[in-house]
Amino acid sequence: MDPIRVPPEMFRFTSGDRAELYVAVLHAFGEANERLETALGLDDVRARLRSIGWLDALDDNDLASALDQLRTWNLVDVTQNHSENYRTASEYERRNLQYSLTRQGEAAFAGVVHAMSLLASTGALQTAVLDAISDRLGDLVQELDTGSDRRVFSTLTELEGHLEALRGNTKQFNGELQRLLRADGADLTTFHEVKASTVAYLEEFLTNLEPRTHAIATRIGKIEEHGVGLLHQRALLGADLPQLTGTDPGPAWLAHRRARWEGLRAWFRPTDGSAPRVEQLHLVARRAIITLLQVLARITESKRRSSSAVADFRELARWFTVVPAQEDLHRLWTTMFGLSSARHAHLAHPDPELVSPAASWHEIPPVAVSPLLRSAGKAERFTKTGRVRDVAAIKAARAEQALAERAELEAAWDMLDTGGAIRLSAFERLDHALFERLLDLLGNALATGPGAGGTRRSTTSDGRIEILLRPPQDGAIAVLTTPRGEFRGPDYEIEIRAAGQLRRRASGDDT
Amino acid sequence: MSQLANQLVTAEREEVAYGIRWLLSTPLITERSAPDVFDLVRRRREPIRKWFDYYCGWTLTVEPRLGYARLVKVRVAADASRPARRLRSGRAPFDRRRYVLLCVVAAELQSVPVTTIGLLADRITRATNADEVVTTFDASSRSERMAFVDVLRLLESYGAVEVVDGVTETFVESAEAKVLYRVDPTLLLRLLAAPVGPSQLAVPAEDVALRFEELLEAVSRERRYGLSAGRHEDTPGASDVQRNLWLRHSVFRRLVDDPVVYFDDLSADEQAYLNSPTGRRLLRQAAELGGFLLEERAEGVLLIDVDSVATDSRFPDDVANAKVAALLLLDTMSGPATVEQLEFTAAALLDRFPRWAKSYRGDEGTRQLAADALAVLTDFDLVRVTAGVVRPLPAAARYAVSATRTTEGTTP
């Protein structure tokens, strides 16, 4: 894209102390142009000024000098009008000069109007625009088959209009969104509402985004089967361009259309394999939702306390300054902040349940303190081993049972071992008990948060079986059949594997 | 199938119990500082939250997106044995200046999302200068800078500020040090656990010292227990439901936080509650769910955490000479003793363990050893010192030298 070069002086009229007058004058010309009056005399300008709301006193000299200034900036042209009948010399002087906007003047005023409208308007992401684009594309397909060139032209124009609206809206909305994300210090109550409604709005927009973009991309494909060149040629015929100047406007017009079509492709179906822009929209919206929710959380949080939090900390600083005793400092800290640790004994009787709750501490034997600690001031690290010994001695039976259960469970896990990434649908048929276990593993994995790339990873509590889940890229549905019915769910890419070598071998035996 | 379910239930129970005990020792967990534990708490947050809410009336907030879990321990601190500590090798407790600076820094950080250590120090100087009560911060003094750095490092450890660039420690040597911080205002707010803000009480500074006990009660007052929690005996406004709730929560708060709960220290209502069938049942339930062993005796109850997860320190232990000395002093005490007697014993200990003399040499050595050992015993609710007399408490008998050393032989 070429850099934008604005002619010098073009927007000079918007600054300086007489800017208001200049803008008003240009506004007057603009209004007149809409009524197809292009040349205005001094009195006409004055009359128009009043009608657009310029009420200040303004003598002829001022107005004339303003117009003169605009002329030197190349915004206004002066012509002499000889067609009328003038009765007096003064009348001639007053009325023979006719002012009209130059091309630059028109552009400059349009620019100002556009700037003002941008300032006043708010952007929006509209599913309606997406729908309109999709509909027009559909129409185009039909018109290409059966319709006239004129219809092709008008539909294409509409399509471009909607695309323009989409671009404009998105640009503005994104700008607003980023401003919203930045402006943290604003008035909290309205802010809260604005953000909450923005989140709701974005969520609504996102829900329908994908099917729509998909439809649009398909239709673009269809039109390209017909040939985009043909489409543009027919539109050119339908446009019936007037040849006002010496050069043929056709090639430029076609180039313009091609650029627009490229734009459409870039949005929905880029040729160079890059991600469609509409997906970025998706990303931006999703990120914005997350950020907004975080900000909201923080606002609610600070609403609850912040007004007083600063004051609380300051007051607390004073309290800490005047509290007399060292002990009280620590107590104040523990009470106010609640960040201190609990404190507990770690030595227990081998079997606490053997001792009656009514017994006194003095009556029962003491806990086992390492004798080494008393004699040498060093403890052997007995806590761990001591505990295992206790469990073995007292809860042997229970442990044995757990072991048996474990073995059964492991056998099941072995059978589920996938030996690599497969799709969930690859299980096809499963024994019901096995299926239940699979379901439990899935549940385990789904309970964890997705990592980078959406992969969920989980291990069983003992860390020996690991399960990896990746969401299906194509959104396929898996159907598993068990003796008791069918299970349907997203066709995850699933990997169940055992951590140890020994288990690898076992699974090899099974298969 | 049922076996699998059992296995999963066992796994969940272990994780929940671990999470509960971890939160008891670290009420504020950030994803950055302890990713594994945070993940566990995040996954098991519902049962853990319920446990704290039901037994202790404490709120657990887990914010997966913001990456922190905070257990709001509301409780009037009865003992001074759990101070904030400097994150240095000695782990010395915070002094007055550090506590004061901590509060001022927290207040000033509230309004700046990003700051450097120099700018922050300026703000602190201005803020303290404007305050009539607080002594003005002087960044040109090394000891002040040291205190300031200790405060910031503590806040860093809580995740309330994050160092983006530089090292906080360098500020001690030079006030020109460049350190860039990003502030997490949410976590900063979460640091305060007391339900009532001190600013709401509007107590004149000169009254604070006089009304200190009353103020501790006031900031811990929770509406849910009726008009004035902790003072139910004389509040007609509180309903029976609120009264029972308060009984349960106040008893369990002691139990999960303190080493020993002696019946003598409880009010009549609380004793009755603990000794009622419901109280006992809940006690056993809570201990089991939390992965504690429960020790019920005639004089009181205590929770044992065999894995030492839910505790900031252990006894008996050999990590410090004072702890070994504490155990040995306890052996010599069959009844009340004076501090002087214990110092005498301590001197004998120093003779017996010559290497200890390194840390406890000099004239004040024995006195210091005895004092440190007594502090350990007091911290674990095993002795109580009043006016120079040390009284062993019933639970001290747990660690007595056993007559028959049955546990001495090791199993192969």
Side-chain angles (χ1 to χ4, degrees), chain A residues 423-425 442 472 475-480 486-492:
Chain A
R423 300 295 288 252
L424 186 56
S425 49
L442 279 178
I477 299 295
V479 182
L480 302 186
E486 275 187 357
F487 165 84
R488 281 169 194 280
D491 194 5
Y492 283 104

Side-chain angles (χ1 to χ4, degrees), chain A residues 19 32 53 98 101 123 127 137 194 207 277 287 314 377 454 486 493:
Chain A
Q98 293 261 300
L101 282 183
T127 36
L137 280 168
V194 168
T207 19
R277 274 194 212 171
R287 223 169 350 185
R314 294 216 169 108
E486 275 187 357
E493 209 182 298

Side-chain angles (χ1 to χ4, degrees), chain A residues 196-271:
Chain A
S197 54
T198 310
V199 168
Y201 178 70
L202 281 175
E203 277 174 345
E204 167 111 17
F205 178 72
L206 280 186
T207 19
N208 295 323
L209 189 55
E210 273 192 32
R212 286 193 165 84
T213 51
H214 183 70
I216 292 177
T218 326
R219 285 182 179 166
I220 291 178
K222 269 193 199 149
I223 289 178
E224 293 193 335
E225 279 167 25
H226 279 88
V228 184
L230 177 72
L231 165 77
H232 287 154
Q233 282 299 339
R234 288 186 61 182
L236 177 62
L237 289 180
D240 226 352
L241 293 181
Q243 193 162 351
L244 297 177
T245 51
T247 50
D248 178 14
W253 193 84
L254 279 178
H256 211 96
R257 299 287 80 71
R258 273 196 295 277
R260 290 289 174 84
W261 189 260
E262 284 308 311
L264 186 66
R265 297 212 52 148
W267 266 91
F268 297 99
R269 196 180 158 139
T271 37

Side-chain angles (χ1 to χ4, degrees), chain B residues 55-57 75 225 230 232 243-256 261 266-267 270 273:
Chain B
Y55 294 110
C56 305
R75 210 192 147 192
Y225 305 117
H232 274 293
R243 205 184 306 267
N244 279 331
L245 200 62
W246 170 246
L247 274 180
R248 188 204 309 151
H249 290 168
S250 69
V251 166
F252 274 98
R253 282 174 188 186
R254 277 167 178 262
L255 202 69
V256 301
V261 174
L266 298 177
S267 70
E270 286 171 330
Y273 178 80

Side-chain angles (χ1 to χ4, degrees), chain A residues 312 314 318 320 323 330-331 336-337 340 343-345 347 359-361 364 367 374 379 389 406 409 440, chain B residues 4 7 70 77 81 96 99 108 131 193 199 256 295 297-299 305 312 318 331 352 398-399 411:
Chain A
D312 281 347
R314 294 216 169 108
R318 277 172 222 135
F320 273 119
V323 163
H330 301 321
R331 290 181 58 202
M336 285 309 306
F337 289 82
S340 311
R343 185 172 293 148
H344 293 286
L347 293 184
S360 156
W361 262 302
I364 52 164
V367 294
R374 285 199 163 88
R389 201 169 59 221
R406 196 79 205 165
L409 183 60
D440 275 312
Chain B
L4 175 70
Q7 295 281 347
R70 168 74 155 125
S81 69
R96 179 188 305 276
Y99 279 127
E108 292 308 311
D131 199 299
S199 63
V256 301
E295 188 160 303
R297 296 291 176 261
E299 301 94 336
D305 178 16
D312 57 347
D318 60 355
D331 288 346
R352 191 173 142 204
R398 298 184 83 226
Y399 305 107
T411 44

